[in-house]
Amino acid sequence: MATTRLLRIGIFCFDDVDELDLVGPYGVLNAWAERSPLRPEISTLTADGSGVRCAHGLRLLPDAAADEVEPLHVLVHPGGPGARTLAADPAHLAWLHRTRQATPLLVGVCTGALVLAAAGLLAGRPVATHRDAFDELVGYDPTLLADTEARYVDDGDVVTSAGATASLDLALHLVARLEDPAAAQTVARHLQYDYNPELTV
């Protein structure tokens, strides 16, 4: 009998998203989904279901529009140049607020944290982001606690990461958290990635 897909993870995509912020977590999480008895469902979402052009030219066709998916267990928000546009977009910030109310775990990758901060979702929390974006981050919310050293920061129902390749460590941490550390190591071995969680926080 097939296992019912109960664990739904959505990765939000947008014009000028950084490819590595998006593809890093997507690749890790899909490698996990192919091996896990939990059978997590990994979906890419855009605001209206239309395709997007990423920061370095990659074109992407998402699985669904953001408002068409069933409630998520995890929402992953990547960064990139387009994150600044979204941080100033009232409609997107309002969507984040609505989605947050029904989503147990919120994840900001790299400068995706800027958008979460602009939406007021990181107040008083420890937060990681790209090393060059901390001044911007604190500008959106001076109450948050910027962690300039960690590859990722897990603050319970919100997890954020530093830039670029830190997205791989973040995604493997999510696998360890949502299933177990052995599952994360299995995925890391499959991807031939040298993953040592003790060195990433």
Side-chain angles (χ1 to χ4, degrees), residues 84 110-111 128-137 146-151 161-166:
R84 279 87 174 175
C110 190
T111 54
T129 191
H130 191 281
R131 64 176 55 159
D132 295 333
F134 279 103
D135 287 345
E136 286 181 89
L137 180 68
D147 189 328
T148 61
E149 300 298 327
R151 297 279 283 173
S161 81
T165 58

Side-chain angles (χ1 to χ4, degrees), residues 13-15 46 48-54 59-62:
C13 311
F14 50 92
D15 284 326
T46 61
D48 60 3
S50 299
V52 297
R53 184 182 179 91
C54 302
R59 294 183 181 274
L60 182 144
L61 185 64

